[in-house]
Amino acid sequence: MSNLLWKSLVVSPAVLGATLLVSATAIAAPNASTEVSTTEQPVAVEVAQPEILAQAAPTNNDSKVLDQVNRYSNEGKTNNSLSQVTSVSQFSDVQPTDWAFQALQSLVERYGCIAGYPNGTYRGNRALTRYEFAAGLNACLDRVNELIATATADLVTKQDLATLQRLQEEFSAELATLRGRVDALEARTAELEANQFSTTTKLVGEAIFAVSDVFGGNSGERNNTVFQDRVRLGLQTSFTGRDVLTTRLTASNATPFTLQNNAGTDINSAEPLQTYNVGGTGGNSIVVDRLTYEAPVGPVQVYLAAAGGKHSHYAAVNNPYFFDKTDGGNGALSTFASENPIYRIGGGAGIAFNIPFGQGGSIIKPSSITVGYLASEADSPTSGEGLFNGNYAALGQLNFGIGDRLAVAATYVHSYNGAGSSLFDNGEQNNIATGVVGTSFANNLPNASSSNSYGLSAAFRPSDKLSISGFISYSDVTGFGAGDDREVWSYGGGIALPDFGKKGNVLGIFGGVQPYSIGRFSVSQGNNDLPFQVEGFYKYRVSDNISITPGVIWLSSPGQNDNNDDAFIGTLRTTFTF
C-alpha cells in the first residue's frame, strides 16, 4: 500500500466526514448509506488517462475504484486537491449552530486530520459508504499513532482510544477488503502505465467499405460496380486538457464516378462525388490529410491548421445528421448533402477564431462571430503562391441560436483562385480539376479569379425525433480573362428522422440544386439548366462502432443540361469507428 494512496484517502472529504463518528456527538448523527456521487468529487487526471484505463475492461465496481486511484495518484498536479485546515472556522459551510460543529472542531484542532476543498468548503452533508468510513477510521488511527510516537499522547483520551478500538474491530473486515482491492488496482494501474500508448494522446479511427454503382443512360455504361475503401487514423493529443492537436493519416482507393452526356463524352463534374471519395490520393497511399491545433485563449476558441484545414472544422455548419465531422462516414452519402458548398471554397493552412458575444435573452441565445483564413498553397515558396500570394479563402460568419431548437448562420467568404483551379476545391490540390461539389461550369476557373460568396444555413429541431435543415449560397466570380465572370448558385434542404426504427439509426432525405453557373460561358455552351439532386439514405446502427448505410442519389440534368440522361447512384456503405 503506497503512502501516497492512503494520504489521498485521508484527505477525501467524504471519508473524513466519517470520522465525525469518533466523538459522542458525531455518533448521534442520522444514518446515511447512499453511495457518494463521483461527479461531486474533485477530478485531477492526465489527459486521455480515463480512456486508457477503460481499455482494461474491469468490473463496474473495480472501474469506480480504479478511477479513484487514478485521481489520487495525481494529487497535487492541479489546484483541485484538498488542503489541510487548522481551524474549523476556515470552512465556509460549517456554522457553530451545526449539530456536529463541536465534533468537527475537536477533530480539526485536537487531531489535525480534517481537510477541505480549495474553495473553503467541507461538504459535511454528503453520504458515505462503509468502505469510506473504514478508510477514514484508518486515517484517525494513523494520526493517533503519530501523536503517541511524538510524545503527545496526552492529547488522546482513554475514551477516544476505547471508541476507536471498538470501531476498528467492527470495520476490520471492510478495511482489509479495501486494502486488498486497492493493492490489486495499484498493481493493475502500474502495469497499464508501463504499457500504455501515451498519457496525452489517444488513437481514433474510421474505416469505410463501400459498394457502389451508377445506373442510367451513358453514365451507367461508362462505369462499373466498385468496392472501395477509405481509412482515417487520427492521433488526438492534449497538453492542457482543453486543447487538442489532431494528426490524421488517410489512405483510400476510392475513385469517383464519371458521368457522360448523350454524345458519349465525359462530363467533367463533381456532381457524383461522395464523402468517402474525399481525401487520400488513390491506391491506398498514406497521406497526412489533417494537422490542426485547437485551444481556448480566454473566451476565444483558436483554430490553427498546418495542413488539411477546412472551414467546416471550425465554423458551425448547421446541418445535423447530414454533416459528420467533414466528410465522415456516418452522415449523408454525397458531398453536396453534407454541408453548404460555401464551406468548400478554399482550405489548407491558416488560422481561425470563434469569438462569443452577448448573453442573449429569453429568445436569442449567446451568439458568436467566426473568422478564418486558409491558404491552399501556404507551403510553397514559388512566386505567386505561398501563404498570402497563392490561393486563399477568408471567411466571416455570424452564428445565432434562437431558442433551444433553431440555429442560424450567415456566412461570407472572399477567395482568390489561380489559373486552372476550381472554386469549390476544398483546398485539396488533387481535386482542383473538378472540385468536390457542383458542375464543371461552376468550378472550372481557366484564368485567375476572385470571388465574393454569401451563404445562409439554418437548422430547426421541432422535436427530438425530427430535424430540418437547409442552406443557400451565392458566389459572384470575377475572372481576369475574357468572359470569365459568372454567378454561381446552390440551395438545398433536408429532413432527418433520428432514432428511426432503433436508437442511433437515422433516416435522411435531402434535395436541392448542385452549385451551377449562370454566365456567358455556360449559356453559350447551351448548359443553363438546373442540376437537381435528391438523396435518400438510412443509417442503421449495428453497434456503437459499426453502422451500415444504404442509399440512393438521383442526379437530374447532369452537366447543367436537360438533354443528358439522369443518373442514379446506389451505395451500400459500412463504417467502422474506433
Side-chain angles (χ1 to χ4, degrees):
M1 181 69 63
S2 70
N3 292 331
L4 179 59
L5 175 60
W6 280 113
K7 180 174 178 291
S8 301
L9 291 174
V10 168
V11 297
S12 171
V15 170
L16 291 175
T19 62
L20 292 174
L21 300 178
V22 173
S23 69
T25 306
I27 293 175
N31 181 37
S33 59
T34 305
E35 187 173 353
V36 177
S37 171
T38 57
T39 59
E40 298 179 18
Q41 300 178 5
V43 180
V45 297
E46 289 187 74
V47 177
Q49 191 72 7
E51 290 84 353
I52 295 171
L53 293 178
Q55 295 174 6
T59 64
N60 289 338
N61 291 334
D62 283 354
S63 296
K64 295 178 181 178
V65 178
L66 191 58
D67 289 340
Q68 292 175 351
V69 172
N70 184 46
R71 289 195 293 272
Y72 299 150
S73 67
N74 288 275
E75 180 193 11
K77 293 185 180 180
T78 71
N79 59 4
N80 290 330
S81 60
L82 307 177
S83 57
Q84 181 66 45
V85 296
T86 58
S87 174
V88 71
S89 62
Q90 293 178 246
F91 296 128
S92 62
D93 58 345
V94 176
Q95 305 299 327
T97 56
D98 293 338
W99 65 269
F101 178 82
Q102 292 183 353
L104 185 59
Q105 184 180 42
S106 176
L107 289 170
V108 171
E109 298 176 3
R110 290 188 62 193
Y111 299 105
C113 59
I114 294 291
Y117 283 82
N119 63 358
T121 61
Y122 176 65
R123 304 182 189 179
N125 291 327
R126 290 177 54 195
L128 70 154
T129 65
R130 287 177 64 87
Y131 285 121
E132 291 169 327
F133 182 86
L137 176 62
N138 183 79
C140 281
L141 290 173
D142 288 345
R143 179 57 179 161
V144 169
N145 290 332
E146 180 183 345
L147 293 173
I148 294 174
T150 55
T152 57
D154 56 317
L155 296 176
V156 183
T157 66
K158 293 181 179 180
Q159 183 181 2
D160 291 337
L161 291 174
T163 300
L164 290 172
Q165 184 176 5
R166 291 196 304 271
L167 292 171
Q168 183 181 24
E169 293 173 355
E170 180 178 352
F171 287 92
S172 60
E174 286 84 356
L175 188 58
T177 301
L178 179 64
R179 287 185 176 183
R181 289 174 62 187
V182 172
D183 285 342
L185 290 171
E186 276 193 329
R188 183 183 299 176
T189 302
E191 181 180 357
L192 289 172
E193 290 178 346
N195 296 281
Q196 65 186 332
F197 172 70
S198 172
T199 59
T200 59
T201 302
K202 65 178 181 179
L203 174 67
V204 297
E206 177 190 78
I208 296 175
F209 296 171
V211 178
S212 190
D213 201 353
V214 179
F215 307 92
N218 291 341
S219 296
E221 297 177 1
R222 171 69 169 79
N223 300 275
N224 297 308
T225 303
V226 292
F227 183 19
Q228 300 176 328
D229 70 77
R230 188 190 69 188
V231 179
R232 287 175 167 178
L233 295 177
L235 301 176
Q236 295 183 349
T237 305
S238 184
F239 306 99
T240 66
R242 301 176 63 197
D243 62 339
V244 57
L245 171 68
T246 301
T247 307
R248 191 174 69 192
L249 305 177
T250 296
S252 173
N253 65 4
T255 303
F257 294 118
T258 300
L259 303 181
Q260 276 195 346
N261 59 24
N262 286 341
T265 304
D266 289 349
I267 302 174
N268 231 0
S269 171
E271 295 169 78
L273 210 69
Q274 301 186 63
T275 56
Y276 67 86
N277 295 138
V278 179
T281 57
N284 279 325
S285 299
I286 299 175
V287 295
V288 178
D289 78 324
R290 179 174 179 180
L291 182 58
T292 61
Y293 180 69
E294 299 164 77
V297 178
V300 178
Q301 185 72 18
V302 179
Y303 169 88
L304 183 64
K310 305 287 185 291
H311 296 303
S312 53
H313 287 168
Y314 63 84
V317 172
N318 290 339
N319 200 21
Y321 304 106
F322 296 98
F323 174 82
D324 178 43
K325 301 177 182 178
T326 308
D327 298 316
N330 281 295
L333 295 175
S334 67
T335 57
F336 169 69
S338 66
E339 61 190 77
N340 191 328
I342 197 171
Y343 300 112
R344 304 283 190 180
I345 301 176
I351 192 169
F353 304 91
N354 273 303
I355 308 167
F357 70 91
Q359 296 301 316
S362 59
I363 298 179
I364 303 297
K365 298 297 180 181
S367 306
S368 64
I369 298 176
T370 303
V371 293
Y373 176 93
L374 296 176
S376 60
E377 299 171 325
D379 60 332
S380 175
T382 303
S383 177
E385 298 182 358
L387 185 60
F388 300 108
N389 293 325
N391 293 4
Y392 72 85
L395 177 145
Q397 180 167 297
L398 287 176
N399 307 287
F400 298 98
I402 304 175
D404 295 327
R405 297 187 177 274
L406 178 62
V408 180
T411 311
Y412 167 74
V413 175
H414 175 74
S415 70
Y416 170 83
N417 295 84
S421 60
S422 296
L423 180 62
F424 303 102
D425 66 351
N426 224 28
E428 300 184 20
Q429 296 302 305
N430 57 308
N431 282 317
I432 62 173
T434 60
V436 293
V437 66
T439 69
S440 59
F441 298 104
N443 273 292
N444 187 24
L445 302 174
N447 299 296
S449 304
S450 66
S451 65
N452 293 292
S453 301
Y454 309 87
L456 188 67
S457 304
F460 176 51
R461 188 186 62 178
S463 71
D464 294 339
K465 300 295 185 180
L466 176 63
S467 176
I468 303 172
S469 56
F471 60 74
I472 184 172
S473 68
Y474 164 76
S475 298
D476 183 14
V477 181
T478 301
F480 300 158
D484 284 346
D485 294 357
R486 70 192 71 182
E487 296 175 83
V488 178
W489 286 88
S490 181
Y491 42 87
I495 298 176
L497 303 178
D499 299 332
F500 186 83
K502 174 185 175 184
K503 185 174 179 60
N505 295 357
V506 176
L507 175 64
I509 301 175
F510 198 95
V513 178
Q514 287 252 4
Y516 68 98
S517 170
I518 300 177
R520 283 183 289 176
F521 180 71
S522 57
V523 171
S524 65
Q525 298 293 315
N527 297 74
N528 207 34
D529 299 314
L530 299 181
F532 287 101
Q533 172 181 318
V534 177
E535 172 182 335
F537 67 90
Y538 182 64
K539 186 187 79 171
Y540 179 79
R541 181 186 178 193
V542 179
S543 67
D544 291 343
N545 303 100
I546 303 175
S547 68
I548 298 176
T549 307
V552 176
I553 303 170
W554 169 48
L555 300 174
S556 175
S557 304
Q560 300 186 205
N561 195 328
D562 282 342
N563 294 325
N564 296 331
D565 292 335
D566 294 352
F568 297 87
I569 301 174
T571 296
L572 179 63
R573 182 185 68 192
T574 302
T575 304
F576 306 86
T577 57
F578 54 92

